[in-house]
Amino acid sequence: GAVVSQHPSRVICKSGTSVKIECRSLDFQATTMFWYRQFPKKSLMLMATSNEGSKATYEQGVEKDKFLINHASLTLSTLTVTSAHPEDSSFYICSATESPGYGYTFGSGTRLTVV
Amino acid sequence: RKEVEQDPGPFNVPEGATVAFNCTYSNSASQSFFWYRQDCRKEPKLLMSVYSSGNEDGRFTAQLNRASQYISLLIRDSKLSDSATYLCVVYGGATNKLIFGTGTLLAVQP
């Protein structure tokens, strides 16, 4: 089956630093990748949708300059949290699909803690 | 009104019980429907897609009622390993987005 690899699984960083999270589709070409964040006991909230080779589409309220998304190839998307603050601490999950509406595979998530 | 609504639970049931989860969605143009399972501190994993004719996978049965914009999941003969949060997920068609419900927490007791 389709596999999505997400790294790192856990990261602790200091306030003001930047953190990059990678999401790779291992055995399929992901035309579209999604980035979500999830707070404890809450559902997944879509942050942005990225299509290979084009700019990401951000959801309302998500700062594009703070959460930089790059989808340079059909198998890799990255999310960079810039100038991280403690309130950015959350569980970030990527999802990838070869064809929207049919089969979404999730990465294992990245637990970010900003101290 | 939320785009996808679920009863958050928790549902506490004994082993062997039958439990049903319900979900409603607001966008009548939604095209695809899914149930995902999420274990604590893990990523969501696809449990099953939901088809208009209803579909069954072992102990799990999913139903879709487009007229009422309602989706259900029935779990028969609950196992301890079924304990998790069950997420109702709707694909928004033209918006190209997966919309998640808040999830329903199931705790199966021995």
Side-chain angles (χ1 to χ4, degrees), chain A residues 1-73:
Chain A
V3 178
V4 172
S5 174
Q6 184 174 343
H7 292 281
S9 59
R10 185 182 296 268
V11 58
I12 300 173
C13 70
K14 293 183 178 180
S15 288
T17 61
S18 295
V19 174
K20 180 185 282 189
I21 303 170
E22 290 191 350
C23 181
R24 292 180 184 274
S25 58
L26 298 185
D27 51 2
F28 67 101
Q29 293 185 325
T31 55
T32 306
M33 287 187 171
F34 304 89
W35 287 96
Y36 296 84
R37 66 187 298 182
Q38 186 176 34
F39 292 105
K41 299 186 179 180
K42 300 291 184 183
S43 189
L44 278 74
M45 288 178 50
L46 181 64
M47 299 175 65
T49 302
S50 74
N51 294 295
E52 184 266 338
S54 62
K55 290 184 179 180
T57 302
Y58 289 82
E59 294 300 300
Q60 191 173 9
V62 178
E63 298 176 59
K64 63 180 181 180
D65 294 330
K66 180 167 183 63
F67 299 100
L68 300 178
I69 291 173
N70 183 283
H71 192 164
S73 77

Side-chain angles (χ1 to χ4, degrees), chain B residues 30-106:
Chain B
S30 298
Q31 297 178 336
S32 304
F33 310 90
F34 310 90
W35 283 101
Y36 276 76
R37 169 193 170 130
Q38 186 175 26
D39 293 290
C40 188
R41 303 173 77 87
K42 299 285 187 183
E43 77 277 19
K45 293 188 177 178
L46 179 65
L47 179 65
M48 58 197 304
S49 301
V50 187
Y51 303 116
S52 297
S53 55
N55 48 300
E56 185 174 309
D57 183 1
R59 298 181 292 109
F60 300 86
T61 301
Q63 297 278 355
L64 168 64
N65 184 322
R66 285 188 181 271
S68 302
Q69 295 178 204
Y70 170 95
I71 307 160
S72 67
L73 176 68
L74 183 76
I75 304 176
R76 292 181 297 279
D77 188 22
S78 299
K79 311 291 184 190
L80 293 176
S81 57
D82 292 334
S83 298
T85 296
Y86 289 83
L87 300 165
C88 176
V89 184
V90 174
Y91 173 63
T95 59
N96 193 30
K97 298 177 188 177
L98 275 184
I99 308 297
F100 284 80
T102 53
T104 299
L105 179 62
L106 171 66

Side-chain angles (χ1 to χ4, degrees), chain A residues 63-107:
Chain A
E63 298 176 59
K64 63 180 181 180
D65 294 330
K66 180 167 183 63
F67 299 100
L68 300 178
I69 291 173
N70 183 283
H71 192 164
S73 77
L74 284 171
T75 59
L76 174 64
S77 177
T78 61
L79 166 67
T80 301
V81 183
T82 62
S83 187
H85 291 284
E87 56 265 31
D88 297 326
S89 299
S90 188
F91 190 48
Y92 293 86
I93 309 176
C94 70
S95 172
T97 182
E98 194 169 11
S99 179
Y102 299 92
Y104 294 82
T105 304
F106 286 83

